[in-house]
Amino acid sequence: MAKITEKMTDLVAPVLEDMGYELVGIEYIASGKHSTLRIFIDTDNGIGIEDCEKVSHQLSAIFDVEDPIVGQYNLEVSSPGIERPLFNISHYQRFLGNDISLRMVRPISGQRKFKGSIGSVSELNNTIELVTELGPVTLDIDMIDKANLIADF
């Protein structure tokens, strides 16, 4: 799956940049004929349905030519939303101090799911310190399966 998202990022990022959009991240959920390629986009002014339609149309045309994924899949273009997914170290840096929930690829001391605030980010070690109710825990960003901001109402 990681290879597909990397390949798609290389293909999609320059197109989105030329269109004036930021590529927030890509998720590929393999499920046979019901697989989904979800592309999250953003701008300084936010994202509307028209933006998603415009990007979907442009990417569909490119994917028809390049055929980057073997088999059938559904393309979804979306804003990151209020519970924005975090994909890379710059996202963790940008939302330093915010509350997040995340799931690890493998358990750490028997635990895969964590909630807390981002206490610090280390580019050198590619880690974040998550401040949880039980205290701080250092997590390798490459071992995070999925992370999202927690909406604060």
Side-chain angles (χ1 to χ4, degrees), residues 3-126:
K3 285 186 179 185
I4 289 175
T5 57
E6 287 174 25
K7 179 177 163 182
M8 295 306 293
T9 298
D10 292 343
L11 181 62
V12 168
V15 173
L16 292 177
E17 187 176 315
D18 287 347
M19 294 176 72
Y21 296 101
E22 170 196 356
L23 172 62
V24 174
I26 296 176
E27 290 178 347
Y28 180 70
I29 300 123
S31 185
K33 291 182 181 180
H34 304 288
S35 296
T36 301
L37 177 65
R38 189 171 296 126
I39 299 175
F40 295 96
I41 61 172
D42 206 0
T43 67
D44 291 339
N45 299 322
I47 294 296
I49 189 73
E50 303 83 19
D51 297 301
C52 294
E53 289 173 352
K54 183 170 132 183
V55 168
S56 179
H57 182 72
Q58 181 68 30
L59 293 180
S60 290
I62 291 168
F63 296 166
D64 285 346
V65 172
E66 297 291 330
D67 200 20
I69 299 175
V70 176
Q72 296 179 345
Y73 62 92
N74 293 311
L75 172 63
E76 293 181 7
V77 177
S78 176
S79 75
I82 194 164
E83 292 195 334
R84 176 186 204 97
L86 306 175
F87 290 96
N88 57 51
I89 196 163
S90 67
H91 292 163
Y92 294 98
Q93 291 169 328
R94 179 176 173 189
F95 295 103
L96 190 67
N98 287 309
D99 290 336
I100 65 171
S101 65
L102 60 85
R103 182 179 65 226
M104 302 299 293
V105 172
R106 287 189 281 286
I108 296 175
S109 301
Q111 185 175 350
R112 281 188 67 196
K113 294 181 180 180
F114 293 86
K115 283 187 181 181
S117 63
I118 304 170
S120 65
V121 179
S122 170
E123 282 188 65
L124 180 64
N125 297 320
N126 198 41

